[in-house]
Amino acid sequence: MRSATNPRSGFTLVEVLLVFGLVGIISAVGIMHMGNLKNFFSTEEKRPLVILTNALRYARFWCAKNHKPAEVYFSQKGLDVKDKSGKVVSNFPWPKQQQERFATWYHVYPGTLTENGTFRPDTAGKGNGAISINAHGFFASTFLDMDLGDGREQYKLDPLTGACEPSRW
């Protein structure tokens, strides 16, 4: 007995190639936007200390590239990198849903050299509210006292790298 087979059972080569092509295009678009998706779902990139570090890194690079000094200013909406004329070069916003919570209270103190050769914050003054970077990309000795939404934190900036190191004074 012969069994009847359907001559149209399965997919044609054109249909298979079309499916693989569509999957390839969707994968390529997904890979290109993977960084954006990572930032969208990641809370690490939205932490205020990470945003501060990125702003300082950018400001240092900008100063060294343009041979001009700049300052990083805190604001309710984020951090602004400004040149000495006050023009905003770049800004680093806090996440929109948390703008009222981040950096609600901060002081930027210049460092003063002590007799034993270490830098301490000059807390006698109010502080200037900005972090200064010279034309070569080096930071002035700076200490930060701020509330980043999780409680009060104190940092000192490394004058060479601009890294924020936890500090207590």
Side-chain angles (χ1 to χ4, degrees), residues 12-129:
T12 66
L13 181 60
V14 172
E15 291 170 333
V16 170
L17 290 176
L18 184 65
V19 168
F20 280 129
L22 289 173
V23 168
I25 291 171
I26 292 169
S27 298
V29 169
I31 289 172
M32 287 175 20
H33 295 289
M34 188 63 70
N36 293 341
L37 291 174
K38 178 184 167 198
N39 289 342
F40 182 76
F41 290 109
S42 172
T43 58
E44 178 66 24
E45 290 298 317
K46 296 177 181 178
R47 289 186 53 227
L49 191 56
V50 173
I51 294 170
L52 174 63
T53 302
N54 289 339
L56 294 174
R57 209 176 280 148
Y58 175 84
R60 180 174 186 232
F61 176 74
W62 185 88
C63 290
K65 179 182 171 194
N66 295 301
H67 304 292
K68 295 179 181 179
E71 293 180 327
V72 177
Y73 288 90
F74 284 81
S75 74
Q76 187 69 26
K77 293 186 177 186
L79 298 167
D80 292 329
V81 178
K82 298 180 180 181
D83 64 9
K84 282 297 184 178
S85 68
K87 177 184 172 198
V88 175
V89 176
S90 184
N91 61 357
F92 294 82
W94 306 124
K96 288 192 187 316
Q97 67 274 20
Q98 298 170 332
Q99 283 182 354
E100 287 152 20
R101 198 171 68 97
F102 287 162
T104 55
W105 179 84
Y106 59 89
H107 290 289
V108 179
Y109 296 107
T112 174
L113 191 61
T114 62
E115 293 176 5
N116 63 0
T118 61
F119 282 101
R120 300 288 299 161
D122 182 10
T123 56
K126 268 187 150 177
N128 60 2

Side-chain angles (χ1 to χ4, degrees), residues 102-169:
F102 287 162
T104 55
W105 179 84
Y106 59 89
H107 290 289
V108 179
Y109 296 107
T112 174
L113 191 61
T114 62
E115 293 176 5
N116 63 0
T118 61
F119 282 101
R120 300 288 299 161
D122 182 10
T123 56
K126 268 187 150 177
N128 60 2
I131 302 169
S132 298
I133 304 108
N134 72 13
H136 302 291
F138 296 111
F139 292 86
S141 177
T142 306
F143 291 83
L144 303 170
D145 188 10
M146 57 190 147
D147 181 359
L148 296 174
D150 298 330
R152 186 174 172 183
E153 299 177 16
Q154 294 175 327
Y155 295 93
K156 69 177 182 175
L157 262 59
D158 184 318
L160 296 176
T161 65
C164 294
E165 300 168 357
S167 175
R168 294 279 175 226
W169 60 81

